[in-house]
Amino acid sequence: QVQLVESGGGLVQAGGSLRLSCAASGTFFSVEYMSWYRRAPGKQRELLARITSDGSTNYHDSVRGRFTISRDHVKNTVYLQMNSLKPEDTAVYSCNALVTVNVDDIIPVNYWGQGTQVTVSP
């Protein structure tokens, strides 16, 4: 079983910075990738950034150059460093991980954290 717990959300002023953390805990064989999503009111959830087991990263165009995803393999934690925040970044940010729970599992499983609120004031 795998649990994901986000932290680091809060209220910041436009132009400010915030770092989100997501820690994976439990018993599992490997984590194939970890991602950050967000959902603003009235909008669909969108993928912001993803980091794979080999360190490759992908970013949504709206955050590329402002947000940086990183991973601490020892702590099984993924981070999202958010700089130059804008009011339109206001959303609930959620962590996602694709996890191979058992060594002989053919298909890995997606797990989600509860989400953390990020609010950017103008």
Side-chain angles (χ1 to χ4, degrees), residues 76-89:
N76 286 315
T77 300
V78 66
Y79 304 94
L80 187 67
Q81 178 66 47
M82 304 185 294
N83 299 323
S84 301
L85 284 163
K86 306 173 182 179
E88 51 263 44
D89 294 320

Side-chain angles (χ1 to χ4, degrees), residues 8-122:
L11 174 64
V12 297
Q13 197 172 36
S17 298
L18 204 62
R19 190 178 78 158
L20 306 182
S21 300
C22 174
S25 62
T27 302
F28 48 87
F29 176 69
S30 63
V31 177
E32 309 311 316
Y33 62 68
M34 300 185 77
S35 308
W36 285 101
Y37 288 76
R38 72 183 178 191
R39 188 177 69 185
K43 297 182 64 178
Q44 285 191 319
R45 184 168 58 189
E46 62 180 358
L47 173 63
L48 299 179
R50 174 169 291 165
I51 185 166
T52 62
S53 59
D54 65 355
S56 298
T57 58
N58 295 96
Y59 294 94
H60 192 278
D61 288 342
S62 65
V63 304
R64 185 177 293 110
R66 298 189 298 123
F67 292 8
T68 302
I69 188 170
S70 61
R71 182 178 174 184
D72 186 329
H73 292 272
V74 176
K75 297 181 179 180
N76 286 315
T77 300
V78 66
Y79 304 94
L80 187 67
Q81 178 66 47
M82 304 185 294
N83 299 323
S84 301
L85 284 163
K86 306 173 182 179
E88 51 263 44
D89 294 320
T90 297
V92 175
Y93 286 69
S94 299
C95 175
N96 158 262
L98 186 66
V99 180
T100 299
V101 179
N102 303 120
V103 65
D104 55 349
D105 286 348
I106 298 174
I107 304 175
V109 179
N110 269 304
Y111 290 89
W112 293 88
Q114 305 97 314
T116 184
Q117 176 70 46
V118 172
T119 302
V120 184
S121 62

